[in-house]
Amino acid sequence: MGTATGRAFDAETLRRGIEGNTGNTLLSLYADDAEIRIVDHNHQPSEPTVLRGRGQIAELLDDIYSRDMTHKLEQCVVQGDHAAFSESCQYGDGTRVIAESMVTLRDGKITNQLLIQAWDE
């Protein structure tokens, strides 16, 4: 589970981060200059939500983990300087969310993430 640059991406930290109660552990996996592009029903591929840097990513994670919902890492595959993972989430009212991510890694940290998500309406 290593990267081409040496330091390994920690899939167990990813699991603990996703399934935890705050976004702090998950945030530790992002490089300072990381970028996330989010595509969903409200943000189509031609105009995704784009977050740049750990500050904006922290705001997103704080928002997500303040909600009444659970998160589960379903699968994670790491190969060289890339990883892909699936997560499922459920709000307290039963609404379900599925998210798929493809990430680029540098020294074991996420530098770029494409997140595609869908939810019950």
Side-chain angles (χ1 to χ4, degrees):
M1 282 194 186
T3 67
T5 54
R7 217 164 98 201
F9 179 70
D10 190 345
E12 183 54 34
T13 299
L14 178 67
R15 177 179 304 285
R16 284 193 323 271
I18 286 174
E19 296 179 0
N21 296 322
T22 71
N24 295 339
T25 300
L26 196 52
L27 184 63
S28 74
L29 292 172
Y30 288 88
D32 291 339
D33 61 345
E35 179 178 288
I36 299 177
R37 290 176 295 137
I38 303 170
V39 175
D40 56 32
H41 179 72
N42 297 326
H43 304 96
Q44 301 295 304
S46 61
E47 293 187 36
T49 297
V50 179
L51 305 174
R52 291 182 177 90
R54 285 175 49 114
Q56 288 184 353
I57 294 168
E59 288 176 17
L60 171 70
L61 294 175
D62 287 346
D63 175 50
I64 290 170
Y65 284 91
S66 71
R67 301 176 190 180
D68 176 24
M69 64 189 308
T70 59
H71 311 268
K72 180 174 169 72
L73 179 66
E74 298 291 342
Q75 298 181 65
C76 179
V77 176
V78 180
Q79 185 173 8
D81 60 356
H82 290 90
F85 57 92
S86 301
E87 58 185 296
S88 62
C89 308
Q90 186 168 349
Y91 283 91
D93 68 1
T95 301
R96 297 182 54 88
V97 181
I98 299 292
E100 298 286 330
S101 291
M102 174 62 78
V103 300
T104 302
L105 306 167
R106 180 181 66 232
D107 294 326
K109 299 284 187 178
I110 297 169
T111 59
N112 195 305
Q113 178 177 3
L114 172 60
L115 184 152
I116 300 173
Q117 63 182 358
W119 56 86
D120 293 337
E121 292 191 46

